[in-house]
Amino acid sequence: MKVQSAMFYFPEEVIEHIFSFLTHHPDRNTVSTVCKAWYKIERLSRREVFVGNCYAIRPDRAAARFPGLRSLTLKGKPHFADFDLVPPDWGGLAGPWIEAMARSCPNLEELRMKRMVVSDESLELLAHAFPNFKALVLVSCEGFSTDGLAAVARSCKSLRELDLQENEIEDRGPRWLNSFPDMCTSLVSLNFACLKGEVNLKSLERLVCRSPNLKCLRLNRAVPVETLAKIMNQCPNLEDLGTGSLLADQFSEAYVSLISALQKCKKLRCLSGFWDASPLCLLAVYPICANLTGLNLSYAPTVQGQDFINLIQHCVKLLRLWVLDSVGDKGLAVVASACKELQELRVFPSDLFAAGPATVTEEGLVAISTGCPKLNSLLYFCHSMTNSALITVSKNCPNFTRFRLCILEPRKPDPATNEPLDEGFGAVVKTCKNLRRFSISGLLTDQVFYYIGKYAKALEMLSIAFAGDTDQGMTYVLNGCKNLRKLEIRDCPFGDGALLADVTKYETMRSLWMSSCDISLRGCKALATKMPSLNVEIINEWEAEMEENLNNGVAEVISNNNNKHINNGNDERKVEKLYVYRTVGGPRTDAPDFVWTL
Amino acid sequence: MRGATDDDVEERGVELGLSLGANKNQNHTATARRGPPCRILTAKDFPASIAGPSRASPSPSQSSSVSSSSVRATDEDSGTDVVVGSTSPETGSGSINPSSSQTVVGWPPIKAFRMNSLFNLSKEEPANNKLKKANRKGHHVSCSNGHSLAEDQDKSQLSGRCLYVKVNMDGDPIGRKVDLHSHGCYESLAISLELMFWGTTTSSTGYMNGSRLLDNSSEFVLTYKDKDGDWLLVGDVPWSMFLDTAKRLRIMRNSDASMLSLRFQQTYVHGGHEQS
């Protein structure tokens, strides 16, 4: 017996078994590069794939490599598309991916997509192509209607999860809910809170009645309290509830049944919705607050002042809180005293037009940091911030992994000292060693980028707007942040020098976005020439539309005439929007006329 | 006759799009603006007590290029704005310009979905508010199709739907957005756009009670892009049909649009097969 060769011989099944303990996809990516054998074993046994940029690889190639794929996660448009900086029709189409999966990965069970354009036809295909399909999660997507949802509901026999978060869905009527067949009893999670139209309440009740496994249900604003109460009576095991419209009269039957229904749901841990919530209905919620771990009031401007305080003071186990800034510093102070376990806080602006005094200030943030030392994730919109507040906050909460501060007025300095906020944000990166995501605002010089480059070693995503003085700022970041994956910049004075300072860096990142900066066509061309493994895309809506006008207003696709624009002389032209990303898929074939790949 | 007054500027500052905190103090002193506000907001426009080193003014030779960093505005005192493409004085110190009450696309960084919901949830629709005030001042917007503005406001709020479409004007690289559902007729929409882009609804000839955008009397016409991607003159189809098919708007120079209307007429002549 050859003992030596036995040591080197591992049956594939054993290796595959070992790999099954690797769930983190970067780990799986790493083992697949060890040798051909491992590559093969890994790819055949891979069940989950995460594609952070849908243009980083062709769908066919991904599908061919992982035929056993069960779960696919895709992200499409760049993050700044959320703020309308990416023109419509830019891309991020789900169709080619669903088609490729339909051809090669029939065992697909889960599809999660973010910022992608999905058509009803694609949803129809999805519904029919994957017999074991279980979960569809769409976040910030668009391009489809309730007809597409109906197709999914109708044909996915073992659908467990339909989760629609903040999508733009064309509402073609309430009948889609009827499409869930009578024998469909498998639903665990249903979220249609983002649908703007009416819902067939009877269908909803019947659906809930026959879904004994329902754990998460998020309704839209059209669902009244009566229906909510009925539903909750049917699902005492609900863990996550998004209410509909929370409006009821004091002595109405609806109100009374709501109270009793809520009390039955002992497992409720997460609440959201609260559309139009009246103080009365909030009273009904108090009894369950003590067990809540998640609370989202960010769509509930009626919950403020004393109503908010009365509610939040019961939420002693809260881990995640999303609110509007109308709760004020006072409300945040109560949060700080009651919610000692708080890990994530998001404070959204409630009124962009108010000429009145700001409702949350640095005081609220400092109070939170003092009372909630476990805070690790923050999104905070405010009208002003001081360096000393930021320094205090970072001392109190050294565990931030996500820190996003948006001062509503661009380039606003510290009002107490009139200085830039470099030191404040600098303190955050110095103290928070695990910071992975960072968004900064206010008046900022190159100095803050020096700090970021020097200290933010774990940083993966950085968002910058209206900041910096010279190319040096961006260069600090590119040179110093070793783990940087996504860099998005708008309205900063960074030019070609910064862009070209370290071109190989972009190969280690997922993407770079620069808009309204100081880069020229010449600089972008240079980048494209030096780094063929990157797609260097320029979005220039204006010129493409001028072209349309000149052609008698005919909206012709001019995509094949890229050269005409790119090489017609003036390379010193400033580039409006630049999107650079690494890819093995080559230039996009579906780029619209206003996207030029250099 | 309603001229542009300080009131208007203040209203503009409060109501149109995303009003930045900075400008609240400035509006009272701003003079009425004349001419199209074709300026690009850059970092320098926002108050900075410590002015960063000025960036070199880039070449003014761009005729059509859009880069929003390329042209500096403005003269703070007069509030006059600069047309894209021409040489412009540079602001040395990043002083605030009153017209930074203009919408800056994408700021503050709030998801479009949340923004739309926010508008639905807030008690008063700002754009409608402005028009209500316009009405009160004697500039009556009557919708010939029988809709009253109030009815449509209620409707859009009850149904919970906004229909924001982008509006671009030739010569102005800053895109704006307008909620079509908050208007009941073309007049109302056109007047709202005039207020948005020009700050006044009266042209230099003193025309009133009608939108110059709709009647070919000004240098500009209002066009829209429909579902099929065609650019058409606004006003030819019933309002409700317009709501269904309009995807975005463009305020086009009359000279460019004349070719457009020609094509449009041709479409109709040839049986309207391209119309949906």
Side-chain angles (χ1 to χ4, degrees):
Chain A
M1 185 157 100
K2 294 181 188 173
V3 175
Q4 281 208 324
S5 58
M7 297 252 312
F8 291 108
Y9 175 66
F10 260 5
E12 280 188 13
E13 297 80 23
V14 177
I15 300 183
E16 194 178 314
H17 181 69
I18 296 173
F19 285 176
S20 69
F21 294 100
L22 296 173
T23 49
H24 200 36
H25 64 88
D27 292 336
R28 294 205 65 127
N29 292 344
T30 308
V31 301
S32 70
T33 61
V34 166
C35 62
K36 272 193 182 149
W38 282 31
Y39 178 88
K40 181 178 157 221
I41 297 169
E42 197 281 320
R43 77 175 188 92
L44 292 175
S45 63
R46 178 99 115 190
R47 299 286 170 255
E48 292 172 19
V49 166
F50 171 82
V51 182
N53 173 6
C54 66
Y55 290 115
I57 183 171
R58 294 275 164 95
D60 274 332
R61 186 165 161 184
R65 180 174 167 186
F66 304 112
L69 198 48
R70 302 250 170 90
S71 166
L72 177 65
T73 304
L74 290 171
K75 292 191 181 180
K77 301 186 198 176
H79 174 232
F80 276 178
D82 281 350
F83 319 130
D84 287 336
L85 289 181
V86 175
D89 307 325
W90 173 88
L93 302 171
W97 282 91
I98 296 179
E99 286 154 29
M101 291 295 139
R103 277 190 294 271
S104 311
C105 308
N107 291 322
L108 193 70
E109 294 179 5
E110 296 178 0
L111 183 58
R112 287 161 226 277
M113 297 196 285
K114 187 168 184 179
R115 276 191 291 271
M116 295 197 67
V117 178
V118 192
S119 66
D120 284 343
E121 290 73 25
S122 296
L123 289 177
E124 191 87 44
L125 175 61
L126 179 98
H128 290 107
F130 308 113
N132 294 330
F133 197 74
K134 294 195 171 64
L136 181 64
V137 179
L138 300 175
V139 180
S140 300
C141 295
E142 56 173 354
F144 60 105
S145 75
T146 44
D147 287 351
L149 298 179
V152 172
R154 189 181 312 125
S155 308
C156 296
K157 303 267 178 289
S158 42
L159 193 67
R160 280 205 310 236
E161 188 177 341
L162 181 60
D163 186 359
L164 308 167
Q165 298 176 30
E166 297 186 326
N167 303 289
E168 289 296 338
I169 305 177
E170 187 190 334
D171 200 310
R172 295 211 184 134
R175 286 177 332 190
W176 67 276
L177 213 66
N178 303 355
S179 300
F180 283 102
D182 289 337
M183 62 184 134
C184 168
T185 59
S186 49
L187 268 185
V188 174
S189 171
L190 177 63
N191 173 6
F192 59 90
C194 64
L195 278 181
K196 300 208 171 78
E198 299 299 318
V199 171
N200 188 323
L201 299 176
K202 285 273 172 274
S203 291
L204 178 61
E205 288 171 35
R206 280 199 303 269
L207 179 63
V208 167
C209 276
R210 64 178 186 273
S211 303
N213 300 317
L214 204 56
K215 289 214 176 71
C216 166
L217 180 63
R218 295 191 183 183
L219 311 169
N220 75 348
R221 200 173 174 186
V223 178
V225 167
E226 295 84 358
T227 311
L228 177 65
K230 283 187 202 162
I231 287 175
M232 294 181 70
N233 275 320
Q234 289 296 324
C235 335
N237 293 326
L238 260 186
E239 295 173 11
D240 183 325
L241 173 69
T243 72
S245 176
L246 218 52
L247 205 56
D249 293 327
Q250 181 159 12
F251 300 109
S252 65
E253 194 183 328
Y255 182 62
V256 171
S257 38
L258 179 67
I259 294 187
S260 69
L262 274 171
Q263 286 176 348
K264 279 199 206 136
C265 291
K266 304 263 182 240
K267 294 193 182 170
L268 214 44
R269 293 289 171 268
C270 193
L271 274 188
S272 57
F274 291 91
W275 310 102
D276 317 306
S278 63
L280 202 61
C281 288
L282 290 181
L283 279 175
V285 172
Y286 292 173
I288 52 162
C289 284
N291 286 322
L292 282 185
T293 56
L295 182 60
N296 182 353
L297 297 170
S298 65
Y299 286 100
T302 54
V303 183
Q304 50 177 299
Q306 196 57 39
D307 292 327
F308 173 72
I309 290 174
N310 290 343
L311 180 68
I312 204 71
Q313 65 190 12
H314 300 285
C315 301
V316 293
K317 288 193 189 156
L318 208 58
L319 301 176
R320 267 178 347 271
L321 176 64
W322 293 21
V323 287
L324 293 170
D325 65 0
S326 44
V327 304
D329 283 338
K330 209 167 154 202
L332 291 181
V334 178
V335 173
S337 67
C339 312
K340 293 302 183 188
E341 304 297 314
L342 197 67
Q343 293 178 8
E344 176 180 326
L345 175 68
R346 296 195 191 187
V347 180
F348 295 95
S350 57
D351 193 344
L352 299 163
F353 306 93
T359 40
V360 299
T361 69
E362 66 273 6
E363 281 180 30
L365 186 58
V366 169
I368 291 279
S369 72
T370 315
C372 313
K374 295 187 185 176
L375 199 63
N376 59 42
S377 173
L378 179 74
L379 172 61
Y380 199 78
F381 285 84
C382 57
H383 289 266
S384 69
M385 183 55 58
T386 64
N387 279 315
S388 73
L390 283 174
I391 292 169
T392 307
V393 166
S394 48
K395 275 207 200 102
N396 292 338
C397 299
N399 297 318
F400 277 117
T401 54
R402 289 183 285 273
F403 191 95
R404 294 189 280 167
L405 186 77
C406 178
I407 300 165
L408 289 168
E409 184 190 316
R411 290 204 131 228
K412 186 164 183 184
D414 179 332
T417 63
N418 256 340
E419 283 175 2
L421 290 169
D422 301 332
E423 296 306 312
F425 284 108
V428 176
V429 289
K430 277 182 214 164
T431 2
C432 304
K433 309 274 183 233
N434 295 323
L435 195 66
R436 290 199 313 263
R437 185 167 179 187
F438 203 31
S439 292
I440 56 182
S441 57
L443 181 65
L444 295 163
T445 72
D446 285 348
Q447 184 66 20
V448 73
F449 299 114
Y450 169 76
Y451 289 139
I452 293 174
K454 184 163 179 194
Y455 296 108
K457 293 306 178 189
L459 194 63
E460 294 176 4
M461 182 171 175
L462 179 62
S463 309
I464 312 171
F466 303 103
D469 304 313
T470 70
D471 286 349
Q472 188 59 52
M474 182 170 161
T475 310
Y476 282 140
V477 172
L478 291 174
N479 289 343
C481 297
K482 298 296 173 208
N483 284 307
L484 196 64
R485 287 202 334 244
K486 286 186 279 184
L487 180 58
E488 44 186 31
I489 304 173
R490 63 163 292 177
D491 293 276
C492 295
F494 304 138
D496 295 341
L499 181 66
L500 300 170
D502 184 0
V503 294
T504 54
K505 173 79 175 167
Y506 305 126
E507 246 176 358
T508 68
M509 292 166 51
R510 184 187 297 171
S511 65
L512 165 73
W513 169 279
M514 290 180 76
S515 60
S516 306
C517 295
D518 213 8
I519 47 180
S520 75
L521 192 51
R522 184 177 51 78
C524 297
K525 283 187 183 177
L527 176 61
T529 313
K530 289 188 193 176
M531 301 294 297
S533 61
L534 303 175
N535 274 357
V536 178
E537 292 180 4
I538 293 187
I539 297 173
N540 230 329
E541 246 183 318
W542 191 246
E543 291 210 25
E545 289 183 1
M546 291 282 288
E547 182 79 26
E548 279 180 27
N549 281 338
L550 292 170
N551 289 337
N552 295 332
V554 173
E556 279 173 5
V557 172
I558 312 170
S559 55
N560 289 332
N561 284 342
N562 279 349
N563 286 338
K564 189 180 358 161
H565 297 282
I566 295 174
N567 296 322
N568 70 354
N570 188 4
D571 276 2
E572 294 316 308
R573 277 177 291 168
K574 296 299 175 187
V575 164
E576 178 194 347
K577 292 172 186 171
L578 171 72
Y579 185 49
V580 180
Y581 55 92
R582 67 179 174 194
T583 179
V584 294
R588 288 171 58 184
T589 50
D590 63 356
D593 50 0
F594 53 80
V595 173
W596 306 340
T597 306
L598 299 180
Chain B
M1 165 138 150
R2 190 165 81 78
T5 63
D6 283 351
D7 272 356
D8 302 341
V9 178
E10 184 180 347
E11 282 169 5
R12 254 203 322 282
V14 170
E15 288 162 10
L16 278 182
L18 310 174
S19 167
L20 304 169
N23 61 52
K24 293 177 198 118
N25 303 325
Q26 310 296 328
N27 287 335
H28 303 289
T29 55
T31 56
R33 297 204 319 268
R34 306 273 174 262
C38 302
R39 58 176 297 279
I40 306 151
L41 290 175
T42 68
K44 296 291 184 204
D45 296 318
F46 299 109
S49 336
I50 299 189
S54 305
R55 281 196 275 155
S57 185
S59 146
S61 64
Q62 305 95 351
S63 48
S64 57
S65 125
V66 195
S67 164
S68 64
S69 63
S70 60
V71 178
R72 297 285 170 278
T74 83
D75 179 358
E76 179 191 14
D77 294 329
S78 71
T80 53
D81 298 311
V82 171
V83 178
V84 171
S86 57
T87 34
S88 57
E90 183 186 335
T91 43
S93 63
S95 47
I96 186 75
N97 184 289
S99 58
S100 57
S101 62
Q102 298 284 319
T103 55
V104 177
V105 177
W107 190 265
I110 301 173
K111 265 188 189 172
F113 180 90
R114 181 174 287 280
M115 290 284 271
N116 288 338
S117 299
L118 199 71
F119 290 156
N120 281 342
L121 290 172
S122 66
K123 297 189 181 70
E124 270 182 346
E125 183 74 25
N128 295 344
N129 207 21
K130 151 163 292 308
L131 283 164
K132 274 192 239 161
K133 286 188 180 166
N135 290 344
R136 262 184 262 137
K137 289 202 166 134
H139 192 116
H140 180 61
V141 177
S142 60
C143 297
S144 56
N145 59 3
H147 274 106
S148 80
L149 195 58
E151 269 172 26
D152 279 291
Q153 284 169 32
D154 291 338
K155 225 192 291 172
S156 83
Q157 280 180 352
L158 279 177
S159 72
R161 258 195 274 184
C162 278
L163 181 55
Y164 277 92
V165 296
K166 275 191 170 173
V167 193
N168 286 85
M169 184 171 77
D170 285 0
D172 183 357
I174 297 189
R176 317 257 156 96
K177 276 189 154 181
V178 66
D179 175 16
L180 294 183
H181 277 161
S182 66
H183 298 279
C185 59
Y186 288 117
E187 273 298 318
S188 158
L189 170 65
I191 286 170
S192 172
L193 290 176
E194 286 190 47
L195 288 165
M196 207 184 268
F197 284 90
W198 281 281
T200 170
T201 59
T202 62
S203 72
S204 52
T205 61
Y207 200 87
M208 55 174 152
N209 280 343
S211 171
R212 53 188 169 150
L213 276 178
L214 290 179
D215 62 9
N216 265 329
S217 71
S218 86
E219 187 199 338
F220 290 91
V221 289
L222 185 57
T223 63
Y224 72 101
K225 189 174 190 177
D226 72 359
K227 277 182 182 164
D228 301 323
D230 298 319
W231 285 95
L232 307 163
L233 283 176
V234 163
D236 287 312
V237 301
W239 175 254
S240 46
M241 192 187 299
F242 173 71
L243 286 183
D244 270 335
T245 70
K247 289 293 162 218
R248 58 189 301 179
L249 300 174
R250 159 182 240 83
I251 301 175
M252 218 183 259
R253 290 219 165 80
N254 221 335
S255 44
D256 292 334
S258 57
M259 290 183 278
L260 189 64
S261 52
L262 200 63
R263 176 180 161 78
F264 180 78
Q265 283 163 24
Q266 282 173 348
T267 308
Y268 260 92
V269 164
H270 291 293
H273 61 277
E274 283 172 79
Q275 288 300 103
S276 48

